Amino acid sequence: MKRHFLLLLLCLVPTIAFSQDDTPIKGKVLSSATDDPLENVNIVNLNEVIGTTTDKEGDFSIRAKVNDTLYFSYLGYKSIRVRVTNDWLKFGDIKVKMTELGIALEEVVVKPVQLTGYVEVDAKIIPIYDNYRYRISGLSSGYEGGNRQPGAVNKVLSAIFNPADFLYNVFGKRPKQMQKLRKMKQDDEIRNLLASKYDRETLMAVLQLERVDIDEILNNCSYSESFIKTASDLQILDAISECYEEYRVLNREKG
């Protein structure tokens, strides 16, 4: 009797272990209004921090396990979260329907720049945008041209010694969420997604932060208001990541 029980147990163990591993799951994304397939919908597994996109037929495949949450975002449609269930893994493909948003575009006025041909004069006429991030070969981190203040490191250092500091509350008390920064930077699908987005929605979903929290992190790390408002989500990811890495290094040195 005991022998039969052990054999049954050994048969069940691989099944249990397999169900807990990441498994490629498939699905199709459609418009809820027309049932037409949606191409290039961005999908992020918020638990594993990996991403993918739908093809021309709206089909996708992504690694996930039971209870993982998938985040679907698409321009002009309401972003949604879908939890992976046992039924999904058991029966295969499912259909995810997204609802279109009504978007009212504001009028944009483009002001032409008329050059005179004189360098001294034209240099004052041409607008200068200083909200870009630069990187120099040989240096491990980038910088924001003209706006990243030397006091940034001091602010990070003060956060380590002050338990009430905002950066301490974000970085020190959310180690698991901050670890997702590295995973996001390493996933090419997510980086490509963030490079073309400016709404901070994916960053908010993965890091479990509000928009105001993201702005406050960058403000405390001495990034300019212009950069905070106009940078792409990928630039914001790199900025938060750099600030967090500074926090970790200084925190180790303090210890």
Side-chain angles (χ1 to χ4, degrees):
M1 182 69 179
K2 291 182 179 179
R3 184 176 181 181
H4 289 297
F5 177 76
L6 289 174
L7 288 174
L8 178 62
L9 183 62
L10 290 173
C11 291
L12 289 176
V13 168
T15 304
I16 296 173
F18 177 77
S19 65
Q20 292 178 342
D21 291 338
D22 289 354
T23 304
I25 61 173
K26 298 180 180 181
K28 180 186 289 287
V29 183
L30 307 171
S31 168
S32 62
T34 63
D35 276 345
D36 291 334
L38 298 178
E39 182 183 1
N40 291 327
V41 174
N42 298 295
I43 306 163
V44 176
N45 184 327
L46 298 182
N47 299 81
E48 301 299 323
V49 197
I50 53 177
T52 188
T53 56
T54 56
D55 60 19
K56 292 181 179 180
E57 302 301 322
D59 296 321
F60 70 90
S61 175
I62 189 171
R63 296 198 321 274
K65 59 181 180 292
V66 175
N67 290 327
D68 279 358
T69 299
L70 304 186
Y71 182 76
F72 295 76
S73 62
Y74 189 60
L75 184 63
Y77 285 75
K78 183 178 181 179
S79 299
I80 58 174
R81 302 174 190 231
V82 178
R83 179 153 309 212
V84 178
T85 63
N86 278 309
D87 289 343
W88 191 346
L89 295 179
K90 182 178 180 181
F91 298 108
D93 296 4
I94 70 163
K95 294 181 180 179
V96 178
K97 294 191 176 183
M98 301 185 69
T99 303
E100 190 172 2
L101 293 174
I103 301 177
L105 297 178
E106 297 181 358
E107 182 180 0
V108 178
V109 178
V110 180
K111 297 181 179 180
V113 178
Q114 297 180 350
L115 303 180
T116 64
Y118 295 94
V119 176
E120 294 83 357
V121 177
D122 292 342
K124 298 178 181 180
I125 296 176
I126 299 176
I128 298 175
Y129 301 99
D130 53 7
N131 56 319
Y132 293 98
R133 298 288 295 170
Y134 299 90
R135 188 172 296 277
I136 298 176
S137 178
L139 296 181
S140 59
S141 61
Y143 67 95
E144 180 187 352
N147 285 319
R148 189 78 193 279
Q149 302 172 5
V153 174
N154 291 334
K155 286 189 176 183
V156 173
L157 189 59
S158 67
I160 295 173
F161 290 95
N162 183 6
D165 191 278
F166 176 81
L167 288 181
Y168 174 85
N169 289 326
V170 175
F171 292 157
K173 295 184 178 181
R174 298 174 182 238
K176 291 184 178 180
Q177 297 309 118
M178 293 302 107
Q179 287 173 7
K180 291 184 177 181
L181 285 170
R182 287 185 174 180
K183 291 185 177 181
M184 294 175 75
K185 287 171 67 69
Q186 294 170 355
D187 190 282
D188 290 337
E189 288 284 353
I190 293 181
R191 289 188 65 84
N192 292 335
L193 160 63
L194 296 180
S196 60
K197 290 176 68 71
Y198 294 80
D199 56 18
R200 315 293 187 248
E201 282 192 1
T202 303
L203 291 173
M204 291 162 56
V206 175
L207 299 178
Q208 296 181 13
L209 294 171
E210 297 298 328
R211 173 65 181 263
V212 65
D213 295 326
I214 292 177
D215 291 350
E216 192 64 20
I217 290 173
L218 298 172
N219 180 57
N220 275 268
C221 291
S222 295
Y223 284 88
S224 68
E225 182 179 352
S226 175
F227 176 82
I228 294 173
K229 288 183 177 180
T230 62
S232 70
D233 286 359
L234 180 58
Q235 289 175 305
I236 296 297
L237 169 65
D238 289 338
I240 295 177
S241 181
E242 287 179 14
C243 189
Y244 177 60
E245 291 303 321
E246 288 178 357
Y247 176 89
R248 292 181 67 248
V249 170
L250 293 173
N251 195 36
R252 285 199 300 267
E253 291 178 354
K254 183 204 75 169

